[in-house]
Amino acid sequence: MKPLDPAVEVIVARHFQEFYATRRKPTKTRFWREVAADCRAQGLVPPSIRRLGRWLELKDQARLQARREGRDRAERRHLATPGTLTADRSLDIVQIDHTKADVTVVDPVSRHPLGRPTLTLAIDVSSRMVVGFHLSLEPPSLLSVALCLTHAVMEKSHWLAARGINTDWPAYGIPKAIYVDNGAEFHARAFERACSEYQINLVHRPPGTPRYGGHIERLIGTMMGAIHLLPGSHFANIFERGDLDAEAEAVMTLQELETWLAHEITGSYHARVHSALETTPLAAWEARGSEAKPRLPTDLRRFLVDFLPSEQRVLQRDGFHLFHIRYWADELRWMMGRDSRKYTLKYDPRDLSRIFVLSEDGPIEARPADLTRPAITLWEHRAARRALREAGRRSLDEELIFTTIQAQRDLVNSAERETKAIRRHKARRAHLKRGSMIDVTPATEPSDTLPAPKNAGSVLRDHPGFYVEEWYDDD
């Protein structure tokens, strides 16, 4: 190509650096107009748009796309990937990741919209089988990873039967390696220590290389595509969503969405031919499975406890103090007076009514010293502490925390009753107004007040869990 006039080249290069090769991503036509305007202002002949296009073609296209659209997109299109992540047998490599589900869920009692849940998924790279998942209204955390991994490891026939699902889900067992990104929950000491204890090779994907998580990302895309069919879907972008009000359309609770996803995974995804495998994930799992049975933990409950978040505490004369709550167990008396070393305390943020103290003889279950305390979540506990701090109290005591939580629950219940009563009252007035026009009077009128539903309390407290949660309901 004949080179540009040096003066014109200066103008073109300046607009390329400051205007075209930026995240504003102007069109080639707009780029040409800016160049032509400056050329004419200086009495120069501007290049044609076709010649300017040939000038752009000589630039490093990978670097240009990285400047205009970001490095991730540029790498996916231009970076050579001579090797792919492969696994010979099932459970050789499992990938785990989170995503915000593109659908709003509702409260199981009031049916009011609660928000979009977080979906944690685990996929077997060899067979593309979904080995486990977990839904939560909380952001990604070590707890969601622990519950997803426990669901992946466990044999699922009881879990499916409890939800009325008749399809098979033969994927279970401890994986040999887990591939994850660099989220804080995947770098937690408790997660790394538990993986080491169960001889799981933990591999973090290199920063800035999303292609290393391609299998789980494609699975997430497939699951979101299915979720877009549900009422309350937010779709992938505002153009697909249009003027649809996702909150107004939402109808499914978190537990109903969990069951729906289990149907979608076992009855649809596992039974469809995967383009990369040229067979179904279910057939690939059975064909690529090891001759030996999958490796299982001797105690599934202990497996979950090992992956739960933890804190280090010294055993005091009256027990362990965690989250301003005093915990005690009779077994702790035999540990008194040994030394002042710190013990590892495992806790489930969904239920602070018990913790697990790791000792040489196994985990010891400890409960609040005051057994009259109600079961609360860590989120309720933190909200109560925030409320106390905002009220100006510097010292926090256990009695005040539980009193505050109970007052907050009573306020929620009262607000829910009042809201329902007002809505019923408005509905009755509208009905009477319409009835007066046609001279029809209802035989009975609904009551202005409604009793509080029995399970109307903290939404977090009523979250559905996996089969393993049944171990905690033995009070």
Side-chain angles (χ1 to χ4, degrees), residues 241-267:
R241 189 184 314 147
D243 59 354
L244 181 66
D245 187 347
E247 281 71 24
E249 296 284 338
V251 298
M252 301 191 76
T253 66
L254 195 70
Q255 187 171 10
E256 290 166 345
L257 179 60
E258 179 191 82
T259 302
W260 186 91
L261 275 171
H263 277 293
E264 177 66 24
I265 290 169
T266 60

Side-chain angles (χ1 to χ4, degrees), residues 178-183 186-188 191-192 202-207:
I178 295 178
Y179 281 50
V180 294
D181 62 20
N182 289 280
F186 296 122
H187 281 284
F191 183 62
E192 294 176 344
L202 180 60
V203 181
H204 295 90
R205 90 174 55 153

Side-chain angles (χ1 to χ4, degrees), residues 149 178 190-202 307:
L149 189 54
I178 295 178
F191 183 62
E192 294 176 344
R193 190 182 300 115
C195 285
S196 175
E197 181 177 344
Y198 287 94
Q199 300 176 359
I200 300 173
N201 182 24
L202 180 60
F307 281 91

Side-chain angles (χ1 to χ4, degrees), residues 230-249:
L230 295 174
S233 170
H234 291 252
F235 295 95
N237 55 62
I238 59 174
F239 302 105
E240 293 180 357
R241 189 184 314 147
D243 59 354
L244 181 66
D245 187 347
E247 281 71 24
E249 296 284 338

Side-chain angles (χ1 to χ4, degrees), residues 231-457:
S233 170
H234 291 252
F235 295 95
N237 55 62
I238 59 174
F239 302 105
E240 293 180 357
R241 189 184 314 147
D243 59 354
L244 181 66
D245 187 347
E247 281 71 24
E249 296 284 338
V251 298
M252 301 191 76
T253 66
L254 195 70
Q255 187 171 10
E256 290 166 345
L257 179 60
E258 179 191 82
T259 302
W260 186 91
L261 275 171
H263 277 293
E264 177 66 24
I265 290 169
T266 60
S268 180
Y269 173 77
H270 286 169
R272 293 197 306 265
V273 174
H274 194 284
S275 58
L277 301 176
E278 297 184 347
T279 186
T280 66
L282 185 60
W285 173 272
E286 295 172 350
R288 302 183 183 195
S290 174
E291 294 181 359
K293 286 187 176 182
R295 189 164 56 102
L296 286 170
T298 55
D299 186 343
L300 194 59
R301 179 189 184 213
R302 172 68 187 269
F303 182 85
L304 173 62
V305 169
D306 286 336
F307 281 91
L308 288 177
S310 63
E311 293 285 346
Q312 298 286 318
R313 291 292 187 274
V314 174
L315 177 59
Q316 302 182 28
R317 294 181 62 184
D318 57 351
F320 286 104
H321 291 246
L322 183 66
F323 305 124
H324 299 275
I325 301 173
R326 183 167 64 91
Y327 291 92
W328 178 254
D330 288 340
E331 294 90 335
L332 298 181
R333 69 177 70 253
W334 307 111
M335 299 163 59
M336 290 287 186
R338 291 185 180 180
D339 51 30
S340 58
R341 71 182 179 93
K342 290 185 176 181
Y343 289 87
T344 300
L345 309 182
K346 293 282 188 173
Y347 65 92
D348 186 340
R350 302 165 302 170
D351 182 7
L352 296 183
S353 66
R354 69 190 73 196
I355 62 172
F356 300 92
V357 183
L358 301 190
S359 68
E360 292 81 358
D361 300 325
I364 297 173
E365 184 179 299
R367 292 178 174 270
D370 185 353
L371 296 178
T372 64
R373 302 299 191 194
I376 62 172
T377 70
L378 180 58
W379 302 282
E380 286 181 311
H381 182 276
R382 287 173 176 169
R385 291 182 61 191
R386 275 196 306 271
L388 292 174
R389 283 196 297 267
E390 291 171 1
R393 295 189 61 93
R394 292 186 178 180
S395 61
L396 297 173
D397 62 81
E398 184 177 321
E399 176 68 30
L400 195 55
I401 288 175
F402 281 96
T403 303
T404 301
I405 290 174
Q406 189 58 51
Q408 289 173 327
R409 290 179 179 176
D410 292 342
L411 182 62
V412 171
N413 292 338
S414 176
E416 190 172 62
R417 289 196 302 270
E418 184 175 352
T419 300
K420 286 184 177 181
I422 291 174
R423 289 180 177 177
R424 292 285 296 272
H425 182 65
K426 288 182 178 180
R428 187 178 72 249
R429 289 185 62 186
H431 179 75
L432 292 175
K433 186 175 180 180
R434 291 193 301 269
S436 62
M437 295 174 64
I438 56 176
D439 195 23
V440 176
T441 304
T444 59
E445 294 184 359
S447 172
D448 285 346
T449 59
L450 296 174
K454 293 181 180 179
N455 56 348

